[in-house]
Every structure is written in structure tokens, then in C-alpha cells.
Amino acid sequence: MRPHSLRASPDWPADAAWLDRGVLVYGPRKSGTTLFQSLLDGGDELLAYPDELKLKYFSRKSGRDYTVETYLSRSRVSSVNSSRLSLETYNSMWRKAAGENTNLPLAELFRFDAWCVAQSIDKPPAKPFMWCAKEVGGGNEDILSFWRYSFGESKALFLVRDPLFTTRAVLNDRRRKGVRLPVSDVIHQVTDPLRTMRRQMRYLDDPDVHFTVYEDLVADPEREMRKVTEFLGIAWSPTFTRPSLFGEPVVVRTASQQTTEVFRATTQSWRDGLTEREQKIVAIAARIARSLPHLAVDYEVLRERIARRHAELGPAARPAAVKGT
């Protein structure tokens, strides 16, 4: 199949500079990335893509060109429930862009997808400057490297959370869905957030990566989100303290409480809500993991390092984003 470019599509925007500024939201599964993404929604300068882009799937593939059909087979936009999103418009734009069954550059597919979302909502950002999408968990390749391959002007927002509470969140979520995980899967839910955080820690000194601690985010959303907007170089707005979808207040779909506010969990122990069987498996697996160099994470030390980095940078030391280019 011959290569093709979406930039020849009549629906490709005349000024698409903001589509080149991709922001990756990344963290362990069930670490709060959906909440984080929903807090980034609603401003005038940042489009928050409404779901994951399935970067792990594409990063495992050897090529960088795909048909529209292959790309859309991984899309979850059609499952987004919002009165402000016109799936008819979204799908129509993709049908027109598909044309012949040709291979298309993945980087352009990402950008066009963001553009289709922006054109399909009734209140897009008034002055778009950048956009963000999220990915969770590990992959065969480094997720950030893959994102940077796709976007030259890229930044990343990394979220970290106490790994045992992340494991607890996954297990309780499976229980609510009536799923009893075998021992091997419980162990995986212990090691996966550790593996992801070890990958994240490689970028603690990267100037284009900002770390946010989940526990700090839910304790003081305004303080932490102000740090994020300063890092991104976008205007602050109170909307960044409230979860929303296309600017409309929402209950975060992965939340354990039905509220449109950011809430701080009252649970004091990672054991709360887990069965005796799960507690034993998690405790043993976590103890073993702490002895393995590729999984060992001292979470309190990590939080201290992140706090020091924030203090060293501060608003005045953060590089200002250049707009209008």
C-alpha cells in the first residue's frame, strides 16, 4: 500500500501548530491518571483527548504507518459518553480522510485524531496551544521515547502514587466487577506499578517532564495544578481544580465515589477492603519486589526527590513556552 499524507485532506487545519505540541499524561494503572486528565480539561489553551491513544499497542509494532481502519480499531472515542461530543461529526471526518486503503504516518494519525475531537465538540478550546493524551502501565518499549518520536515539541506529565494503594485500587475494582484474580495476576498487580515507576524515575531530571504526586494532587488540587500549568506555559483557570469532560463537570468514571469534586480517600491502609488471601499475596510479593533492583522503589524517597525538584525550579525557573509559533 502506498504512503499517503493526511495533510492533503480538506479537513486538515490550515494552522495546525498546536497539534505538534503533544503532552503525554503517564502513570501506573489505577494511579489517578483519569482524574489527572479530567483536571486538565476545560481550559482555553489545552485540548484534553478524552481517552487513551493506545500507545502501548502501537509502540510494540515495528512500523510507523497504518491504515485508518487499523488505527480506529484501537480507538475508544466512540465509547465516550458526552452530549458535547458529536460522534457523527467525528466519524464523518475519519471516513473522508480514509480515502483509499493506504498506509498513513502514525504521527499524523495522532494529530488528525486530536483535530477530529476538537472539531466534534461544541466548546473546543478558544485559543488552542497544545493537547494532551494519556497512557498507563508498562509496554515493550519506552512510552515516552515513542511519544517523543511522534512529537518534536513534546512534554510529559508523570503521575506517581503509593504503589501498594495502586495495587489495592486495582484489586478492589476487579472485585466490584465480580472478578477473582488468580495468584499470578495479583502478583502482577503488585509488580506492574513498581515497574512503571522505575521507568518514570529515569526522567526525574528531564526538563520536559513534570512529576505530580497523586496524594498531593488530591490534598491540594489548586497548588498542584498551578505547578502543572506553569510547566506547560498555559494560563491558569479555576477549571483545572474540577474534573470535567469537554468543559462539563463530570464524575470521573474510574472514581470510587460519585462526586464531581476531587476527594481525598479516607483509607489509611493498603489492606483496607482486601480479602485475607489478597493481603497475604500482596505482602509477600511486595517484600520480594523490594529486594529486586529492577522493581525496588522507596516511595517516600521518591516523593522527597520530586518535592526538591519542584522547589529548585519554582515558577521563575521554569522555561517559558513560546506561543504564536
Side-chain angles (χ1 to χ4, degrees):
M1 290 175 282
R2 63 180 179 83
H4 181 59
S5 175
L6 278 170
R7 296 178 187 272
S9 167
D11 282 328
W12 188 267
D15 180 9
W18 68 272
L19 296 174
D20 295 327
R21 303 185 188 101
V23 179
L24 173 65
V25 177
Y26 180 60
R29 191 177 304 278
K30 299 298 288 184
S31 64
T33 53
T34 302
L35 168 64
F36 197 17
Q37 185 182 35
S38 69
L39 292 175
L40 289 162
D41 178 83
D44 287 336
E45 298 175 291
L46 175 70
L47 172 75
Y49 188 82
D51 214 301
E52 297 170 19
L53 278 178
K54 293 303 175 186
L55 298 176
K56 289 197 300 291
Y57 170 81
F58 291 112
S59 69
R60 287 193 294 263
K61 302 297 180 180
S62 58
R64 291 292 185 267
D65 294 342
Y66 298 88
T67 64
V68 168
E69 181 181 15
T70 300
Y71 180 81
L72 291 181
S73 69
R74 314 304 302 185
S75 173
R76 297 171 62 176
V77 173
S78 60
S79 65
V80 174
N81 184 19
S82 173
S83 61
R84 297 190 174 185
L85 171 67
S86 170
L87 288 175
E88 180 179 353
T89 300
Y90 178 82
N91 292 327
S92 174
M93 291 180 68
W94 273 112
R95 283 195 298 271
K96 286 194 293 182
E100 302 174 18
N101 189 28
T102 58
N103 279 356
L104 299 166
L106 183 57
E108 289 191 9
L109 288 165
F110 286 152
R111 288 166 171 79
F112 190 70
D113 199 354
W115 176 245
C116 288
V117 169
Q119 292 297 101
S120 303
I121 54 180
D122 57 8
K123 292 184 179 180
K127 299 177 290 185
F129 178 64
M130 56 178 50
W131 67 287
C132 72
K134 81 178 183 96
E135 182 56 277
V136 297
N140 290 350
E141 292 184 15
D142 181 76
I143 298 298
L144 181 55
S145 294
F146 180 70
W147 185 257
R148 285 174 164 170
Y149 176 91
S150 301
F151 296 94
E153 299 182 60
S154 64
K155 289 181 178 292
L157 301 173
F158 280 5
L159 187 67
V160 297
R161 183 183 186 181
D162 187 317
L164 286 177
F165 278 81
T166 301
T167 299
R168 173 186 177 274
V170 174
L171 297 181
N172 282 333
D173 176 70
R174 298 297 186 272
R175 184 178 299 102
R176 286 193 294 269
K177 296 175 180 177
V179 178
R180 185 179 189 273
L181 297 179
V183 173
S184 59
D185 284 356
V186 176
I187 294 174
H188 173 73
Q189 299 306 333
V190 173
T191 59
D192 188 58
L194 295 171
R195 186 175 293 107
T196 300
M197 276 195 286
R198 288 289 298 185
R199 180 180 294 108
Q200 291 174 294
M201 288 167 61
R202 299 202 303 263
Y203 299 94
L204 276 168
D205 296 322
D206 192 307
D208 291 321
V209 177
H210 177 85
F211 279 77
T212 295
V213 174
Y214 172 82
E215 290 83 359
D216 295 339
L217 178 65
V218 297
D220 194 337
E222 179 171 342
R223 180 190 63 197
E224 297 306 310
M225 291 305 294
R226 281 188 180 275
K227 294 177 185 177
V228 170
T229 57
E230 289 164 2
F231 168 75
L232 295 178
I234 60 176
W236 165 257
S237 168
T239 189
F240 295 129
T241 64
R242 300 184 295 271
S244 65
L245 178 61
F246 306 134
E248 185 175 24
V250 294
V251 176
V252 177
R253 59 181 176 80
T254 56
S256 58
Q257 297 184 28
Q258 295 298 301
T259 175
T260 58
E261 300 297 322
V262 176
F263 63 90
R264 187 171 188 175
T266 58
T267 300
Q268 299 300 314
S269 170
W270 63 264
R271 297 176 181 273
D272 290 351
L274 299 187
T275 66
E276 185 177 350
R277 166 184 175 269
E278 290 170 335
Q279 291 181 37
K280 290 180 179 178
I281 298 171
V282 171
I284 294 171
R287 186 162 58 248
I288 294 173
R290 283 194 291 268
S291 68
L292 302 175
H294 69 290
L295 292 177
V297 174
D298 187 324
Y299 187 60
E300 291 310 312
V301 171
L302 174 59
R303 289 186 65 174
E304 290 172 4
R305 291 183 63 186
I306 293 171
R308 284 200 304 270
R309 178 161 175 76
H310 288 181
E312 290 167 0
L313 289 177
R318 297 186 188 280
V322 180
K323 296 183 180 179
T325 59

